[in-house]
Amino acid sequence: MRTVGAAARYWPKRRSLDGVEGKPVGRRVVLGMMGTGLAGIVFGSKAADLLERVVAPIASRDGTGFLSLFPVGRFRIYTVTGRLHSRSDVDYRLNVGGFVDSPVTLTLDELRAMPATRMTKDFQCVTGWRVHDVKWTGVRLADLLDKAGVKDGAQGVRFGSFDGVYTETLTMDQARRDDVIVAYEMEGKPVTAAHGGPARLYVAPMYGYKSIKWLDMIEVSEKEPRPGYWEVRGYDTHAWIGKSNGRDDRPV
Ligand SMILES: Nc1nc2c(c(=O)[nH]1)N[C@H]1C(S)=C(S)[C@@H](COP(=O)(O)O)O[C@H]1N2
Ligand SMILES: [Mo]
């Protein structure tokens, strides 16, 4: 497909990695995907026209390869697929498996029935924007790992998204921290589709790219897990805020 006009900025040629097609996508296709993804979920079908005029100019890469669709409140919305993804609360399932004694599949109700953790903490993207004092509610990842029973010697945890593309990883020590949760509420409300609901990861001490959206798979690995989506593209796997990616200016 030929790339038209400004679309080249949004979709620069990428190396093909993880089976992801690296083809640039034409403007019409991008808008088509946004029409389905955004208009359907966020605004209702009538907004498709408006989106063509409003979202296209807002969507931009900020020089680091991140595609920001549009700002929502104090956040920017990121999605590497170029569209939003949604799953109803009823259809949502979270699989916890891999190198564990008893793999579990949780519904959203079952996740919500587990002991909840609340915290108010910043969210910071490695590209520089930071949202102060976000209220998070969710379940400690450690509690989910305990539920499935991690086998001795497990090295790390790998995460998958129902966007079908994005992945992330943590070491077992990182995964067991108190400030790493599977979040189902942000700012006192269910995590929206734009923010990766019904449930996303929130890794408080690390840059935003660790906080995978549309989380549906937690897989314990016996070996050191492979780096995630942005990490194979050059970002640090250990993404400590202020102490990674060449940034030491913003300590937590
Ligand atoms: N599935 C998925 N998760 C993702 C991303 C993404 O593109 N896809 N972007 C990451 C990055 S770089 C950031 S900064 C945050 C942005 O979260 P927000 O879109 O809720 O602001 O999500 C992270 N998790
Ligand atoms: Mo980010």
Side-chain angles (χ1 to χ4, degrees):
M1 167 155 322
R2 215 162 50 87
T3 304
V4 190
R9 277 211 317 280
Y10 315 152
W11 298 88
K13 260 202 186 99
R14 294 188 303 221
R15 284 181 297 152
S16 190
L17 289 158
D18 277 349
V20 180
E21 242 327 295
K23 269 192 284 195
V25 179
R27 183 163 182 276
R28 270 171 197 288
V29 176
V30 173
L31 293 174
M33 290 192 294
M34 286 178 170
T36 327
L38 301 181
I41 298 158
V42 184
F43 303 107
S45 57
K46 277 192 170 179
D49 271 8
L50 188 68
L51 278 168
E52 293 230 354
R53 280 180 278 125
V54 176
V55 174
I58 294 173
S60 63
R61 292 202 182 255
D62 43 27
T64 50
F66 292 84
L67 174 69
S68 174
L69 289 182
F70 56 93
V72 164
R74 303 178 293 156
F75 284 82
R76 286 180 210 171
I77 300 300
Y78 280 166
T79 173
V80 296
T81 61
R83 57 180 299 255
L84 299 181
H85 304 269
S86 77
R87 188 148 297 174
S88 72
D89 290 1
V90 172
D91 289 340
Y92 180 75
R93 295 290 181 278
L94 177 61
N95 292 298
V96 188
F99 196 56
V100 297
D101 292 327
S102 40
V104 281
T105 300
L106 295 168
T107 64
L108 191 60
D109 282 346
E110 287 167 336
L111 191 66
R112 286 174 171 274
M114 290 180 66
T117 295
R118 292 188 168 76
M119 56 181 118
T120 302
K121 282 184 185 290
D122 295 357
F123 188 83
Q124 183 166 338
C125 177
V126 69
T127 62
W129 56 273
R130 182 176 194 147
V131 182
H132 291 276
D133 299 330
V134 182
K135 284 191 204 141
W136 302 92
T137 307
V139 171
R140 279 200 192 103
L141 179 58
D143 290 346
L144 287 162
L145 295 175
D146 288 345
K147 204 177 175 76
V150 173
K151 290 192 205 264
D152 282 352
Q155 295 294 301
V157 186
R158 184 168 178 265
F159 305 91
S161 167
F162 60 79
D163 71 7
V165 176
Y166 205 83
T167 54
E168 256 309 332
T169 61
L170 291 172
T171 66
M172 197 48 78
D173 283 351
Q174 292 165 358
R176 288 200 168 282
R177 289 175 60 112
D178 281 352
D179 54 1
V180 175
I181 63 171
V182 172
Y184 51 77
E185 283 183 15
M186 284 168 72
E187 306 287 30
K189 285 178 232 137
V191 177
T192 60
H195 281 305
R200 75 179 297 170
L201 197 66
Y202 173 55
V203 182
M206 295 196 183
Y207 287 115
Y209 61 87
K210 299 303 281 192
S211 296
I212 184 172
K213 312 204 302 186
W214 306 296
L215 174 71
D216 71 346
M217 185 206 75
I218 298 174
E219 190 186 70
V220 175
S221 54
E222 189 176 2
K223 300 182 190 143
E224 184 92 354
R226 282 194 297 166
Y229 182 90
W230 282 116
E231 294 143 17
V232 294
R233 290 163 176 79
Y235 288 86
D236 289 350
T237 304
H238 305 295
W240 306 109
I241 293 171
K243 287 178 267 172
S244 65
N245 296 290
R247 286 169 179 265
D248 54 8
D249 50 341
R250 295 185 132 167
V252 190

